[in-house]
Amino acid sequence: MPATVVIGAQWGDEAKGKLVDSLAESASLVARFNGGDNAGHTVINAYGTFKVRLVPNGFSTPGALCAIGPGVVLNLNTLLQEIATIEASDLALSERLWISPRCHVVMPYHPLVEGIYEAAKGTGRTGTTGRGMGPVYADKVSYNGIRLYDLQQPEVLLEKLRIQLEVKNRLLQAFEAVPLQAKQVADEYLALFERLRPVVREPFGIVQDALQAGKQVLLEGAQGSLLDNTWGTYPFCTASDTLSGGACSGLGVAPRWIERVVGVTKAYTSRVGAGPMPTELLDSTGEVLRKEGQEYGTVTGRPRRCGWLDAEALRFTCQLNGVSELALTKLDVLDTLPAVKICTSYRAPASSQPAHYWEGNSAWLETVQPVYEELPGWQQPTRQLREFGDLPANARAFVQRVQELAGVKVSIVSVGPERNESILIQ
Ligand code: IMP
């Protein structure tokens, strides 16, 4: 049984957490491949309600191994807290958790450097989660990162910190921040590392073994495709590879193992932070979506920007990731609306031709107008329904139109936050 990748097909917050949690029920191994504690996956199941940022979402499946691949960057405090919370819920995790020593570590200067850049950009800021993602990945690609490997050897860590702080402290001081002491940071991080040491072991071998043995391997993406560092709305994006291909580099899984790519999309659109969002609604309908959909950031608590489903962007992310099936989440959020709209394409200024997401940069996307198709609403509750045929006819028509426009079949419709509140479509 080759690997399944689950990725966000929008700007993140597509309710991937719930989906991965339910797919994990039949998986032998669940692995994270990108991002860090900027992610926030909410899971509600028999063990409780969890908001996980780093631990792979197989933690609620006692038989599943959980792997964090080298593409992930780690905030050690967040990780240790998360492991403790999960283990306090009677879920043994440590013996089945494998964390790559190749993972880069978020150091205390990373969020500080990020804050300096965000302040300097003023109104043009990205609106990050403040978790130091940009600077930690920048240090990774410029050979200035500190990896878990370095924490295994105190003298190596101290020397690397000395070099980093020689540069970073000057920046911090120039912006009136307190400089950091190498020895103090090293001691703190070595102590944190000691608590993690038993689970820091390269997962490459167990991932390869599981693939070779034909076991179910689930590769869990964080954030969403439109936040990808290369194909997202740069510079209003995140620092990691959020696409299905990111699973290959972020975990060391060759493309030929990936058979199924599940793209997760909400029945509408949301985004946190700045950047273009052609279907954003600044009116009372946007407010209904935010309220009904509980659209507030898991990490920052910020209200999310909400709007109609953008099928132009969705078609693009399906192509980009090779999505083989879509999971359409939060359909129930639309239950009360008299009519629902879907954006089928864009119109650029002074053009009568349909324009596509991939044709221009973020500044250009700010200028396009969405072209909408309006469908009648269903104005009936759907949360208790478990069969596609039981959905109101207008809701079924909406799902069908989404798959036509995206060019990919919808195989799962989610109608509520709990594990069982889903409809599988054969
Ligand atoms: P960063 O990843 O914290 O650097 O933030 C960069 C952009 O990505 C900001 O617009 C964030 O709001 C957004 N972002 C990062 N992680 C997530 C996520 O898990 N869900 C939704 N948006 C995210």
Side-chain angles (χ1 to χ4, degrees):
M1 185 75 64
T4 297
V5 188
V6 178
I7 50 94
Q10 299 172 303
W11 277 286
D13 307 317
E14 299 92 349
K16 296 181 290 296
K18 170 194 159 166
L19 192 87
V20 175
D21 176 55
S22 54
L23 291 176
E25 277 188 298
S26 52
S28 299
L29 190 148
V30 182
R32 258 286 289 271
F33 58 83
N34 76 299
D37 69 341
N38 52 343
H41 295 163
T42 305
V43 178
I44 306 172
N45 60 31
Y47 297 97
T49 297
F50 302 89
K51 294 195 186 295
V52 285
R53 297 182 185 184
L54 285 165
V55 170
N57 242 323
F59 68 88
S60 306
T61 303
L65 297 175
C66 293
I68 298 184
V72 176
V73 292
L74 298 174
N75 178 316
L76 301 190
N77 281 304
T78 308
L79 181 58
L80 283 161
Q81 257 173 31
E82 234 170 67
I83 296 172
T85 308
I86 292 168
E87 297 210 309
S89 309
D90 283 342
L91 280 159
L93 178 65
S94 297
E95 58 265 36
R96 52 195 179 93
L97 180 62
W98 298 63
I99 302 177
S100 172
R102 291 176 168 79
C103 288
H104 283 247
V105 179
V106 180
M107 301 306 288
Y109 42 82
H110 289 130
L112 298 175
V113 172
E114 177 177 332
I116 290 171
Y117 276 109
E118 283 284 272
K121 289 177 187 172
T123 52
R125 72 176 69 90
T126 299
T128 66
T129 61
R131 312 304 297 173
M133 294 298 114
V136 72
Y137 277 106
D139 276 354
K140 174 183 177 179
V141 297
S142 58
Y143 334 124
N144 289 304
I146 292 183
R147 304 196 291 176
L148 286 175
Y149 267 135
D150 303 317
L151 272 63
Q152 290 173 344
Q153 293 169 284
E155 63 293 354
V156 171
L157 174 66
L158 199 57
E159 178 55 11
K160 290 204 167 183
L161 268 173
R162 191 191 62 70
I163 296 165
Q164 287 312 306
L165 291 179
E166 198 172 312
V167 178
K168 267 130 187 158
N169 273 344
R170 287 178 204 215
L171 178 69
L172 296 182
Q173 280 167 305
F175 286 88
E176 283 151 30
V178 183
L180 299 162
Q181 303 297 325
K183 179 76 174 71
Q184 203 177 334
V185 176
D187 288 348
E188 186 191 334
Y189 277 71
L190 289 168
L192 294 172
F193 178 73
E194 269 323 302
R195 294 164 55 198
L196 269 185
R197 192 186 278 277
V199 293
V200 177
R201 40 192 176 166
E202 178 54 60
F204 182 81
I206 57 160
V207 174
Q208 295 299 317
D209 289 349
L211 291 168
Q212 295 280 355
K215 294 188 175 160
Q216 284 219 31
V217 174
L218 200 53
L219 311 178
E220 179 188 12
Q223 288 80 50
S225 304
L226 299 173
L227 288 172
D228 181 69
N229 191 255
T230 306
W231 286 97
T233 43
Y234 192 92
F236 306 102
C237 60
T238 191
S240 69
D241 294 340
T242 63
L243 309 179
S244 55
C248 299
S249 52
L251 270 162
V253 170
R256 75 178 177 97
W257 290 112
I258 297 173
E259 182 169 77
R260 187 176 174 208
V261 179
V262 182
V264 189
T265 175
K266 281 197 275 220
Y268 53 97
T269 307
S270 75
R271 119 165 257 182
V272 216
M277 179 179 168
T279 64
E280 180 171 17
L281 292 171
L282 299 168
D283 58 7
S284 57
T285 308
E287 200 45 54
V288 170
L289 295 175
R290 183 157 36 251
K291 206 158 150 263
E292 296 292 324
Q294 296 284 302
E295 295 295 351
Y296 298 90
T298 320
V299 175
T300 58
R302 288 180 289 180
R304 296 180 184 141
R305 301 158 63 192
C306 293
W308 295 118
L309 180 68
D310 184 342
E312 163 57 39
L314 181 62
R315 188 162 51 240
F316 165 68
T317 58
C318 284
Q319 292 169 342
L320 192 61
N321 289 285
V323 169
S324 54
E325 60 194 274
L326 279 170
L328 185 67
T329 61
K330 294 190 142 186
L331 183 76
D332 55 304
V333 172
L334 306 183
D335 282 354
T336 59
L337 298 172
V340 287
K341 290 187 185 176
I342 307 180
C343 163
T344 54
S345 69
Y346 304 148
R347 279 275 185 282
S351 165
S352 56
Q353 296 304 310
H356 301 294
Y357 169 93
W358 43 264
E359 284 178 44
N361 63 5
S362 288
W364 176 80
L365 273 174
E366 292 282 8
T367 69
V368 302
Q369 288 301 318
V371 176
Y372 286 120
E373 191 172 292
E374 185 170 303
L375 282 78
W378 42 96
Q379 297 190 286
Q380 284 173 52
T382 54
R383 205 168 157 176
Q384 76 290 358
L385 305 177
R386 297 291 171 268
E387 296 290 331
F388 186 66
D390 292 341
L391 280 176
N394 288 349
R396 288 201 307 269
F398 175 80
V399 175
Q400 264 145 7
R401 191 65 185 128
V402 171
Q403 59 186 12
E404 274 164 27
L405 289 166
V408 178
K409 69 176 178 192
V410 172
S411 65
I412 302 169
V413 177
S414 169
V415 288
E418 302 209 14
R419 209 185 224 194
N420 66 339
E421 290 178 318
S422 292
I423 295 171
L424 302 183
I425 307 176
Q426 295 312 320

